[in-house]
Amino acid sequence: LLAGHLGYKCVMTDIQKIVPLMHDNCQVNEQRYKGEGAHTDGVCGGRWITPVAKRLMWGEEEDMSECKNSICGGNVDLILCSDLVYQVEDFQPLVDTLAYLSSDKTRIVLTMRIRFVDKFEMFMGLLKEHFQVDEVSPEVVQAIHPNPDIHLFEITKKK
């Protein structure tokens, strides 16, 4: 929603049962920021672009293609991921999806809490086959979020 507020075209994704909720949230925010009486002052004023809510099942070609093609001819600049790494069986489909959606110009930002070190290392191993992964300094992350268990990674596709 923030990206839309800042004037960026974006696609929000989740499993199918969450998509209607995301869509409704986008519509409510569109009314707030574009409707009668909306605030148009400040850096974001008047530039609202309503995000699109889409289903994205990781690793499913049709979903990945539809999401990618929803963004400016398939040129994805930024992928924001938050707390996605849970189940081992989802690791490879997630990595495949990130690889499909990204180019060497795409920046991926991943935030997560490391719950199990062995699973985290397995996921990072798969991710590093396709991507350069850099962890943001814990001091920087804690200045944004005080929980020391939260980690932030900047990820780019290997050339």
Side-chain angles (χ1 to χ4, degrees), residues 28-48:
V28 166
N29 279 277
E30 177 180 40
Q31 291 170 5
R32 180 177 177 206
Y33 292 109
K34 285 181 87 172
E36 192 173 324
H39 298 285
T40 57
D41 56 340
V43 67
C44 304
R47 298 189 330 190
W48 172 264

Side-chain angles (χ1 to χ4, degrees), residues 118-130:
D118 57 335
K119 288 183 179 182
F120 166 75
E121 288 173 352
M122 180 187 303
F123 175 71
M124 282 294 146
L126 292 171
L127 198 59
K128 288 177 180 181
E129 290 176 15
H130 301 277

Side-chain angles (χ1 to χ4, degrees), residues 3-116:
H5 186 66
L6 294 172
Y8 293 97
K9 184 174 182 181
C10 62
V11 176
M12 297 172 26
T13 65
D14 211 316
I15 59 175
Q16 182 58 45
K17 73 179 185 178
I18 304 298
V19 172
L21 177 62
M22 290 189 312
H23 176 75
D24 290 348
N25 197 354
C26 290
Q27 297 307 307
V28 166
N29 279 277
E30 177 180 40
Q31 291 170 5
R32 180 177 177 206
Y33 292 109
K34 285 181 87 172
E36 192 173 324
H39 298 285
T40 57
D41 56 340
V43 67
C44 304
R47 298 189 330 190
W48 172 264
I49 297 176
T50 303
V52 176
K54 295 234 180 248
R55 177 183 95 142
L56 178 58
M57 297 300 295
W58 299 333
E60 289 195 16
E61 181 100 19
E62 186 176 330
D63 285 4
M64 294 186 305
S65 178
E66 190 171 321
C67 285
K68 186 170 185 171
N69 292 330
S70 296
I71 299 286
C72 304
N75 298 316
V76 179
D77 296 319
L78 179 65
I79 299 173
L80 300 175
C81 308
S82 179
D83 223 12
L84 300 178
V85 181
Y86 293 100
Q87 300 177 10
V88 172
E89 61 268 16
D90 291 335
F91 293 176
Q92 190 63 59
L94 174 56
V95 170
D96 292 345
T97 299
L98 292 172
Y100 181 91
L101 294 174
S102 62
S103 72
D104 61 351
K105 295 178 182 169
T106 305
R107 186 176 181 187
I108 301 169
V109 177
L110 169 67
T111 62
M112 64 183 292
R113 194 173 123 217
I114 300 172
R115 291 170 175 81
F116 302 99

